Amino acid sequence: MKKILMLIFTVFCFSETNAFAAMRERPEYEKTGNVIWEINTKEKMVALTFDDGPHPVFTPLILDLLAKYDAKATFFVTGKKAILYPEILRREVKEGHEVANHTYNHINNPNISATKLSSEIVKTDRIIQKIIGYKPVLYRPVAGHYNDVIVNTAVKNGKLVVMWSWHMDPKDWNNPPASKIIKRITNGIKPGNIIVLHDWHGTELSQSCQTVLALEKILEFFSKQGYRCVTVSEMLYRSKINIPEPFYPFSMYIK
């Protein structure tokens, strides 16, 4: 009986060790160059990113504000919503923004299999390419989950994994007051920060979106402080960081 229990304990410990080994610390992933949280630069630029869109009402409002302040952003879109609102993706590209991959179904599961995740990424790539003419190089994991399976699967599909600066997450998906979003973003901003926001809040088109209400104040703050809002790809390019070969010219982002 003791031998059986010892065997079970050993197998359990071995399995747990392997499970934990599948996720490494952030610095280890950063060293590989396959995952970024922010860019080390002295140039006063930041990258605004928007997840989970496009949204038929909120995304156009966001685009209007970005145009008003001559700001560029990166939109991590889901394939499922891109199919519904292709004209919004076309507008994003036409106005100089970047479209990136955020999976098809937005499955919030850190233990997603490599096969399922690869299917989600490839399906979304095909949809985006059909709509705007190119496959995105950038990919953001759902809910910011990362481990060896997620990162390696993304890399095998030609993706650079883009996270965000941990202090630049106002959790706007929970629709907090605009004042809290503004405070979180404007306090402690640094060159090279990647900011995460969301252009999808529920399904009610009449629902107020605190992100939209906060965005103009944020953009106004950046303008006064001398910060440029650029796409993630432009920030990488200007920082001379090696990234996967793009399917579109970087020159479209460089002024």
Side-chain angles (χ1 to χ4, degrees), residues 209-222:
C209 179
Q210 296 301 306
T211 301
V212 174
L213 296 177
L215 185 58
E216 181 154 22
K217 290 293 183 182
I218 292 169
L219 291 170
E220 185 179 324
F221 171 84
F222 286 151

PDB file of all heavy atoms in Angstrom, residues 209-222:
ATOM      1  N   CYS A 209     -20.114  53.821 -22.999  1.00  0.00           N
ATOM      2  CA  CYS A 209     -18.783  53.232 -22.987  1.00  0.00           C
ATOM      3  C   CYS A 209     -17.827  54.215 -22.326  1.00  0.00           C
ATOM      4  O   CYS A 209     -17.517  55.269 -22.890  1.00  0.00           O
ATOM      5  CB  CYS A 209     -18.329  52.914 -24.404  1.00  0.00           C
ATOM      6  SG  CYS A 209     -16.672  52.218 -24.488  1.00  0.00           S
ATOM      7  N   GLN A 210     -17.401  53.886 -21.124  1.00  0.00           N
ATOM      8  CA  GLN A 210     -16.528  54.783 -20.377  1.00  0.00           C
ATOM      9  C   GLN A 210     -15.169  54.952 -21.055  1.00  0.00           C
ATOM     10  O   GLN A 210     -14.515  55.983 -20.898  1.00  0.00           O
ATOM     11  CB  GLN A 210     -16.349  54.261 -18.949  1.00  0.00           C
ATOM     12  CG  GLN A 210     -17.636  54.243 -18.123  1.00  0.00           C
ATOM     13  CD  GLN A 210     -18.264  55.610 -17.982  1.00  0.00           C
ATOM     14  OE1 GLN A 210     -17.621  56.561 -17.545  1.00  0.00           O
ATOM     15  NE2 GLN A 210     -19.529  55.730 -18.355  1.00  0.00           N
ATOM     16  N   THR A 211     -14.759  53.976 -21.834  1.00  0.00           N
ATOM     17  CA  THR A 211     -13.496  54.098 -22.565  1.00  0.00           C
ATOM     18  C   THR A 211     -13.560  55.252 -23.550  1.00  0.00           C
ATOM     19  O   THR A 211     -12.626  56.052 -23.646  1.00  0.00           O
ATOM     20  CB  THR A 211     -13.190  52.790 -23.324  1.00  0.00           C
ATOM     21  OG1 THR A 211     -13.105  51.717 -22.385  1.00  0.00           O
ATOM     22  CG2 THR A 211     -11.877  52.892 -24.077  1.00  0.00           C
ATOM     23  N   VAL A 212     -14.665  55.339 -24.270  1.00  0.00           N
ATOM     24  CA  VAL A 212     -14.834  56.429 -25.226  1.00  0.00           C
ATOM     25  C   VAL A 212     -14.859  57.769 -24.498  1.00  0.00           C
ATOM     26  O   VAL A 212     -14.237  58.741 -24.935  1.00  0.00           O
ATOM     27  CB  VAL A 212     -16.125  56.241 -26.048  1.00  0.00           C
ATOM     28  CG1 VAL A 212     -16.378  57.456 -26.935  1.00  0.00           C
ATOM     29  CG2 VAL A 212     -16.034  54.978 -26.894  1.00  0.00           C
ATOM     30  N   LEU A 213     -15.559  57.817 -23.370  1.00  0.00           N
ATOM     31  CA  LEU A 213     -15.639  59.066 -22.599  1.00  0.00           C
ATOM     32  C   LEU A 213     -14.268  59.478 -22.073  1.00  0.00           C
ATOM     33  O   LEU A 213     -13.972  60.671 -21.975  1.00  0.00           O
ATOM     34  CB  LEU A 213     -16.615  58.892 -21.434  1.00  0.00           C
ATOM     35  CG  LEU A 213     -18.077  58.629 -21.801  1.00  0.00           C
ATOM     36  CD1 LEU A 213     -18.920  58.400 -20.543  1.00  0.00           C
ATOM     37  CD2 LEU A 213     -18.645  59.793 -22.604  1.00  0.00           C
ATOM     38  N   ALA A 214     -13.433  58.500 -21.741  1.00  0.00           N
ATOM     39  CA  ALA A 214     -12.111  58.801 -21.175  1.00  0.00           C
ATOM     40  C   ALA A 214     -11.079  59.128 -22.245  1.00  0.00           C
ATOM     41  O   ALA A 214     -10.112  59.862 -21.985  1.00  0.00           O
ATOM     42  CB  ALA A 214     -11.623  57.610 -20.345  1.00  0.00           C
ATOM     43  N   LEU A 215     -11.277  58.595 -23.443  1.00  0.00           N
ATOM     44  CA  LEU A 215     -10.231  58.655 -24.457  1.00  0.00           C
ATOM     45  C   LEU A 215      -9.824  60.067 -24.848  1.00  0.00           C
ATOM     46  O   LEU A 215      -8.629  60.348 -25.013  1.00  0.00           O
ATOM     47  CB  LEU A 215     -10.675  57.879 -25.706  1.00  0.00           C
ATOM     48  CG  LEU A 215      -9.623  57.755 -26.809  1.00  0.00           C
ATOM     49  CD1 LEU A 215      -8.358  57.085 -26.297  1.00  0.00           C
ATOM     50  CD2 LEU A 215     -10.199  56.978 -27.993  1.00  0.00           C
ATOM     51  N   GLU A 216     -10.782  60.967 -24.987  1.00  0.00           N
ATOM     52  CA  GLU A 216     -10.413  62.313 -25.414  1.00  0.00           C
ATOM     53  C   GLU A 216      -9.504  62.998 -24.392  1.00  0.00           C
ATOM     54  O   GLU A 216      -8.537  63.660 -24.759  1.00  0.00           O
ATOM     55  CB  GLU A 216     -11.640  63.184 -25.685  1.00  0.00           C
ATOM     56  CG  GLU A 216     -11.260  64.589 -26.156  1.00  0.00           C
ATOM     57  CD  GLU A 216     -12.327  65.241 -27.008  1.00  0.00           C
ATOM     58  OE1 GLU A 216     -13.497  64.833 -26.912  1.00  0.00           O
ATOM     59  OE2 GLU A 216     -11.982  66.148 -27.770  1.00  0.00           O
ATOM     60  N   LYS A 217      -9.797  62.839 -23.109  1.00  0.00           N
ATOM     61  CA  LYS A 217      -8.957  63.428 -22.060  1.00  0.00           C
ATOM     62  C   LYS A 217      -7.552  62.817 -22.077  1.00  0.00           C
ATOM     63  O   LYS A 217      -6.555  63.499 -21.850  1.00  0.00           O
ATOM     64  CB  LYS A 217      -9.597  63.220 -20.690  1.00  0.00           C
ATOM     65  CG  LYS A 217     -10.858  64.028 -20.439  1.00  0.00           C
ATOM     66  CD  LYS A 217     -10.539  65.516 -20.379  1.00  0.00           C
ATOM     67  CE  LYS A 217     -11.794  66.321 -20.045  1.00  0.00           C
ATOM     68  NZ  LYS A 217     -11.527  67.789 -20.022  1.00  0.00           N
ATOM     69  N   ILE A 218      -7.493  61.514 -22.345  1.00  0.00           N
ATOM     70  CA  ILE A 218      -6.202  60.825 -22.413  1.00  0.00           C
ATOM     71  C   ILE A 218      -5.387  61.353 -23.592  1.00  0.00           C
ATOM     72  O   ILE A 218      -4.196  61.659 -23.461  1.00  0.00           O
ATOM     73  CB  ILE A 218      -6.414  59.306 -22.527  1.00  0.00           C
ATOM     74  CG1 ILE A 218      -7.011  58.760 -21.225  1.00  0.00           C
ATOM     75  CG2 ILE A 218      -5.098  58.596 -22.855  1.00  0.00           C
ATOM     76  CD1 ILE A 218      -7.502  57.327 -21.333  1.00  0.00           C
ATOM     77  N   LEU A 219      -6.031  61.471 -24.737  1.00  0.00           N
ATOM     78  CA  LEU A 219      -5.338  61.964 -25.924  1.00  0.00           C
ATOM     79  C   LEU A 219      -4.914  63.423 -25.756  1.00  0.00           C
ATOM     80  O   LEU A 219      -3.835  63.830 -26.202  1.00  0.00           O
ATOM     81  CB  LEU A 219      -6.246  61.821 -27.146  1.00  0.00           C
ATOM     82  CG  LEU A 219      -6.511  60.377 -27.591  1.00  0.00           C
ATOM     83  CD1 LEU A 219      -7.613  60.347 -28.651  1.00  0.00           C
ATOM     84  CD2 LEU A 219      -5.246  59.733 -28.129  1.00  0.00           C
ATOM     85  N   GLU A 220      -5.759  64.196 -25.104  1.00  0.00           N
ATOM     86  CA  GLU A 220      -5.427  65.596 -24.826  1.00  0.00           C
ATOM     87  C   GLU A 220      -4.211  65.686 -23.912  1.00  0.00           C
ATOM     88  O   GLU A 220      -3.318  66.508 -24.121  1.00  0.00           O
ATOM     89  CB  GLU A 220      -6.632  66.276 -24.172  1.00  0.00           C
ATOM     90  CG  GLU A 220      -6.462  67.774 -23.936  1.00  0.00           C
ATOM     91  CD  GLU A 220      -7.699  68.382 -23.301  1.00  0.00           C
ATOM     92  OE1 GLU A 220      -8.818  67.949 -23.622  1.00  0.00           O
ATOM     93  OE2 GLU A 220      -7.524  69.291 -22.457  1.00  0.00           O
ATOM     94  N   PHE A 221      -4.156  64.812 -22.914  1.00  0.00           N
ATOM     95  CA  PHE A 221      -3.015  64.759 -21.990  1.00  0.00           C
ATOM     96  C   PHE A 221      -1.730  64.421 -22.743  1.00  0.00           C
ATOM     97  O   PHE A 221      -0.698  65.078 -22.573  1.00  0.00           O
ATOM     98  CB  PHE A 221      -3.280  63.730 -20.901  1.00  0.00           C
ATOM     99  CG  PHE A 221      -2.093  63.434 -20.028  1.00  0.00           C
ATOM    100  CD1 PHE A 221      -1.785  64.238 -18.934  1.00  0.00           C
ATOM    101  CD2 PHE A 221      -1.279  62.338 -20.295  1.00  0.00           C
ATOM    102  CE1 PHE A 221      -0.680  63.973 -18.142  1.00  0.00           C
ATOM    103  CE2 PHE A 221      -0.174  62.060 -19.497  1.00  0.00           C
ATOM    104  CZ  PHE A 221       0.125  62.878 -18.419  1.00  0.00           C
ATOM    105  N   PHE A 222      -1.790  63.402 -23.582  1.00  0.00           N
ATOM    106  CA  PHE A 222      -0.606  63.004 -24.343  1.00  0.00           C
ATOM    107  C   PHE A 222      -0.116  64.144 -25.226  1.00  0.00           C
ATOM    108  O   PHE A 222       1.082  64.404 -25.329  1.00  0.00           O
ATOM    109  CB  PHE A 222      -0.912  61.782 -25.205  1.00  0.00           C
ATOM    110  CG  PHE A 222      -1.021  60.489 -24.433  1.00  0.00           C
ATOM    111  CD1 PHE A 222      -1.830  59.460 -24.891  1.00  0.00           C
ATOM    112  CD2 PHE A 222      -0.309  60.300 -23.260  1.00  0.00           C
ATOM    113  CE1 PHE A 222      -1.925  58.269 -24.188  1.00  0.00           C
ATOM    114  CE2 PHE A 222      -0.407  59.118 -22.546  1.00  0.00           C
ATOM    115  CZ  PHE A 222      -1.211  58.097 -23.010  1.00  0.00           C
TER     116      PHE A 222
END
